[in-house]
Amino acid sequence: MTVLEGQPQPVQRMSLGAGWRRAWRTGDWWRHLGLGGFLFFMFLPFIITIIISFKDIPQFDHYPFTVTFPLHPDNYLEAWRIVSRYILNSIITSGTSVIGMVVLAAIAAWAFARYPFPGRELFFFGVLALLMVPGELTLIPAFLLVKDLGLLNTRWVLIAPYIAGGQVFAIFILRQFFEALPGEMFEAARIDGANELQVFRHIGIPLSQSILGVVAIMHVLSTWNDVIWPLVTLRSNELMTLTIGLYAFRTAWYTIWGPLMAGYVIASIPLIILFAFTSRLFVEGLSSGAIKM
Amino acid sequence: MTTEEIRAPASSATMADLRAPRERQATLGQRIYRYRFVYLMLVPTFALLLTFNYYPAFMGLYRAFFKWDIGLQPEFLGLGNFEKLFIKDDTFIKSLRHVSLLTSWRVISAVTFPFIVAELIFNLRSNVHKYTYRVLTILPAVVPGIVILLLWQFIYDGTHGLLNAFLEGVGLEDWQQPWLGSPKTALYAVTFMGFPWVGGVTVLIYLAGLQGISDEVIDSSLVDGCSGLRRIFSIDIPLILGQFKLIIVLAVIGGLQGWVAVFVMTAGGPGTASMVPGLWMYNNAFLWNKMGYASAIGMFLFVLIMGLTIINVKFVKTGDY
């Protein structure tokens, strides 16, 4: 990165101690300072959440924002009893819908990318146009639809629309990727006697694992975080997903901050675990430069 | 992608027209027959899209012109809902002002703070540091949105909140407020939450753009003595306008659709002090069963979002270098 040689460098750098001299010379010290400042404030709410999650009520009343002893890890047990059901529900909902969505979207995107069938662009436009339709327009009719279908207060009321809606963006991304795959490889497989399904399953899919992963993660994030749809379609506490479950938890436990904050921490863990395993995919997928207008 | 868009409206029927006319029918039929398994591949996708996306979308547009209360026969009103919305509904007019404030701040903060962070990371020398900072900035983005909202609700809390405790700590007790509970501050509290306004995903999108700038451009700028802030304004920003445009579109859409945050934090209150159109739609539909009226608000939001997106894509020019 020759870029950086041109950065303004402080004149007085030679007069400083050896350790600092290096930081001055590279010109990076103030960048670390700036980034550190931003990160401090970005993480501050989470740090305080963790601190409070170990407090009982008197500890919070006297010293709300500093670490107090003894710690109260039992807050986590209490919160787990309430939140665990919601987490399980969210895992079932997001998990089922992401599998269904990726399978259907991959098949459809493959069709759009590799076969010049009559009406291809028209059908594709029919998918793309839905990117322009905001949830506000469809919320009410969709609610009345699932009500008429008798799906209210079942798991399917979330899963089916999530599969349907998630496909739109996924097909858009996957088609571009499938089209860019080298066609010679598929020709070679066909010559060797593979049928269309085998070409897709044994060559197309393995080559596309990373992009399928990115699409899947984005779908999990968006369904996991959805508030309004589960709020209007689910009534029973047994089926509530994490978002509305936490919302109900907060309303019921307001001012009992220790277990509440422990609940927030527990609620964040599944996605952090997912992220820990997929961060490379995630960071590189977003950094690939393909995302612009 | 642009070529796809240009090709998109051209259905194969028009392509078939270009062929020898006498062969057209047979050829098209044969081709459809030949690709019959492809249509089969698309059946599940379109069955779901038609049911859960197309049908509700058209129904939403259609019912916006009706008085439509649950349990009653729909009654055609023409533009009556819209007339009521813009002439008689003071809360709706107020909510438009609120949402423009929310959206403006969202756009302003999305083009400044994450870009600053992206520049800071981009100009670091060590690749290890770069990667570490990228992961650290994206990490808060995986904390569930509802947790962030509930945390900010706690930060603004009148009696236990972090913000009031901070004000007390620095001797500004007079400024203490029930931030979300006072009509004077509720809207601003909702608008300015999320300090320091650095969205990890946004940072990564900017970074991707910066990394895409070719080394030659940067090297020659250095030869010409262009560096530091000068380089950011004359080279970096013009060259990643595509990313800026995307971020602005996303921020506008996010701002207009961002009523979930208001719903969780204040429910539009106190009174209607922080009401926004999306939440007003929700209230009309799910609290008062006025489905037709709510659909009219939904249609208005749809037209507004689409219009703003088209303006942004068409008239904010992206330089191609």
Side-chain angles (χ1 to χ4, degrees):
Chain A
M1 290 250 106
T2 44
V3 190
L4 313 155
E5 251 90 61
Q7 291 304 317
Q9 296 190 359
V11 189
Q12 71 276 39
R13 64 182 187 268
M14 298 312 284
S15 60
L16 287 162
W20 278 102
R21 202 177 302 159
R22 215 190 123 126
W24 282 110
R25 196 169 48 233
T26 57
D28 270 359
W29 63 274
W30 59 271
R31 296 196 186 94
H32 286 292
L33 206 69
L35 288 167
F38 272 113
L39 286 172
F40 173 76
F41 285 110
M42 283 164 78
F43 280 91
L44 186 64
F46 306 121
I47 295 164
I48 287 177
T49 305
I50 293 170
I51 292 175
I52 295 175
S53 71
F54 286 102
K55 288 179 190 296
D56 61 14
I57 292 171
Q59 283 173 336
F60 180 84
D61 284 342
H62 295 295
Y63 307 99
F65 305 118
T66 50
V67 183
T68 44
F69 294 96
L71 298 175
H72 288 275
D74 41 306
N75 284 345
Y76 280 83
L77 274 181
E78 211 161 342
W80 173 251
R81 265 200 292 276
I82 293 161
V83 175
S84 55
R85 172 196 288 152
Y86 304 140
I87 290 183
L88 184 68
N89 286 338
S90 274
I91 290 175
I92 293 172
T93 309
S94 292
T96 317
S97 77
V98 77
I99 293 167
M101 186 284 282
V102 168
V103 170
L104 291 187
I107 292 172
W110 187 259
F112 282 124
R114 307 228 61 104
Y115 303 108
F117 60 92
R120 171 163 81 160
E121 298 307 332
L122 189 70
F123 280 111
F124 188 62
F125 185 73
V127 176
L128 267 196
L130 287 171
L131 280 176
M132 291 298 288
V133 178
E136 281 67 33
L137 182 65
T138 53
L139 175 67
I140 295 157
F143 170 76
L144 295 170
L145 172 73
V146 295
K147 189 166 162 247
D148 291 342
L149 292 175
L151 292 175
L152 279 189
N153 215 12
T154 64
R155 287 197 197 283
W156 291 105
V157 79
L158 302 183
I159 294 171
Y162 284 167
I163 293 178
Q167 291 179 103
V168 176
F169 184 66
I171 290 174
F172 172 61
I173 297 284
L174 290 176
R175 182 193 178 175
Q176 288 180 320
F177 189 89
F178 288 158
E179 268 179 344
L181 291 174
E184 296 82 4
M185 218 179 293
F186 306 115
E187 277 314 308
R190 280 193 198 105
I191 290 166
D192 288 348
N195 64 31
E196 295 298 320
L197 185 69
Q198 284 169 325
V199 171
F200 176 57
R201 261 190 51 200
H202 297 296
I203 303 175
I205 294 297
L207 284 176
S208 319
Q209 271 172 3
S210 64
I211 195 80
L212 290 171
V214 169
V215 163
I217 293 166
M218 292 176 86
H219 184 76
V220 169
L221 284 183
S222 69
T223 55
W224 193 277
N225 281 322
D226 192 17
V227 177
I228 295 302
W229 187 246
L231 187 79
V232 298
T233 56
L234 296 181
R235 282 284 163 272
S236 77
N237 195 42
E238 281 72 42
L239 291 174
M240 282 191 180
T241 57
L242 191 59
T243 47
I244 54 171
L246 272 187
Y247 186 64
F249 182 37
R250 196 220 64 116
T251 314
W253 288 61
Y254 180 67
T255 70
I256 311 175
W257 298 106
L260 202 54
M261 295 289 172
Y264 296 173
V265 174
I266 295 173
S268 310
I269 289 173
L271 286 190
I272 291 176
I273 292 175
L274 179 74
F275 178 71
F277 285 108
T278 55
S279 65
R280 261 206 113 71
L281 216 66
F282 200 74
V283 171
E284 274 158 22
L286 280 171
S287 311
S288 66
I291 301 174
K292 65 169 182 180
M293 290 180 108
Chain B
M1 154 154 192
T2 32
T3 46
E4 290 308 327
E5 274 181 353
I6 292 162
R7 268 162 49 196
S11 74
S12 61
T14 53
M15 289 185 199
D17 287 340
L18 300 173
R19 289 160 204 284
R22 61 194 162 77
E23 281 181 20
R24 194 198 319 157
Q25 279 317 85
T27 317
L28 184 60
Q30 275 170 10
R31 285 175 61 210
I32 290 175
Y33 184 73
R34 188 179 152 213
Y35 287 111
R36 60 195 183 282
F37 69 95
V38 179
Y39 296 105
L40 213 61
M41 288 165 82
L42 293 177
V43 165
T45 293
F46 276 92
L48 280 170
L49 288 182
L50 287 174
T51 315
F52 291 106
N53 297 68
Y54 269 105
Y55 171 75
F58 282 110
M59 213 54 192
L61 294 177
Y62 176 66
R63 293 295 194 196
F65 300 99
F66 285 80
K67 180 180 166 67
W68 183 28
D69 300 350
I70 288 194
L72 296 175
Q73 201 62 29
E75 178 194 332
F76 184 72
L77 286 183
L79 292 173
N81 281 331
F82 295 96
E83 195 188 327
K84 192 175 155 205
L85 205 54
F86 287 102
I87 294 169
K88 291 185 198 136
D89 193 340
D90 292 339
T91 308
F92 178 71
I93 302 295
K94 197 159 97 175
S95 77
L96 289 179
R97 281 203 304 273
H98 295 168
V99 83
S100 33
L101 174 77
L102 276 161
T103 309
S104 310
W105 174 250
R106 236 179 138 115
V107 171
I108 293 168
S109 64
V111 297
T112 48
F113 303 101
F115 178 68
I116 294 170
V117 170
E119 278 286 351
L120 288 173
I121 296 178
F122 176 64
N123 284 313
L124 287 172
R125 291 183 181 217
S126 147
N127 281 330
V128 178
H129 289 173
K130 276 189 196 184
Y131 192 78
T132 313
Y133 280 119
R134 281 200 302 187
V135 173
L136 283 176
T137 42
I138 193 81
L139 198 55
V142 294
V143 173
I146 188 83
V147 170
I148 310 254
L149 291 177
L150 294 174
L151 277 183
W152 275 90
Q153 205 177 32
F154 166 72
I155 290 171
Y156 285 134
D157 193 281
T159 40
H160 311 284
L162 185 60
L163 182 55
N164 278 346
F166 169 78
L167 289 174
E168 195 179 317
V170 297
L172 290 169
E173 281 92 344
D174 300 350
W175 292 20
Q176 287 184 340
Q177 298 263 0
W179 296 96
L180 294 170
S182 147
K184 279 205 297 281
T185 53
L187 177 67
Y188 297 101
V190 172
T191 305
F192 295 111
M193 78 176 173
F195 177 83
W197 308 292
V198 177
V201 174
T202 316
V203 172
L204 288 192
I205 291 174
Y206 284 131
L207 260 180
L210 292 173
Q211 281 159 353
I213 299 176
S214 75
D215 288 347
E216 287 84 9
V217 173
I218 292 174
D219 285 347
S220 57
S221 77
L222 286 174
V223 171
D224 293 344
C226 170
S227 65
L229 276 184
R230 176 82 190 278
R231 198 198 80 211
I232 291 175
F233 284 107
S234 338
I235 295 182
D236 291 356
I237 292 179
L239 282 182
I240 63 165
L241 272 185
Q243 271 80 11
F244 273 104
K245 210 155 128 176
L246 173 71
I247 300 293
I248 291 170
V249 171
L250 290 181
V252 168
I253 294 175
L256 294 175
Q257 298 191 309
W259 56 278
V260 175
V262 181
F263 173 78
V264 172
M265 305 266 292
T266 65
T272 53
S274 57
M275 185 58 71
V276 288
L279 184 55
W280 193 232
M281 176 192 80
Y282 174 90
N283 285 353
N284 272 290
F286 295 104
L287 298 185
W288 308 313
N289 280 331
K290 287 152 77 177
M291 296 294 175
Y293 192 59
S295 295
I297 303 176
M299 180 170 171
F300 167 76
L301 285 172
F302 166 58
V303 172
L304 188 67
I305 290 170
M306 188 132 105
L308 287 173
T309 311
I310 290 171
I311 289 171
N312 194 307
V313 172
K314 260 204 139 103
F315 297 104
V316 183
K317 287 258 180 289
T318 311
D320 271 327
Y321 291 86

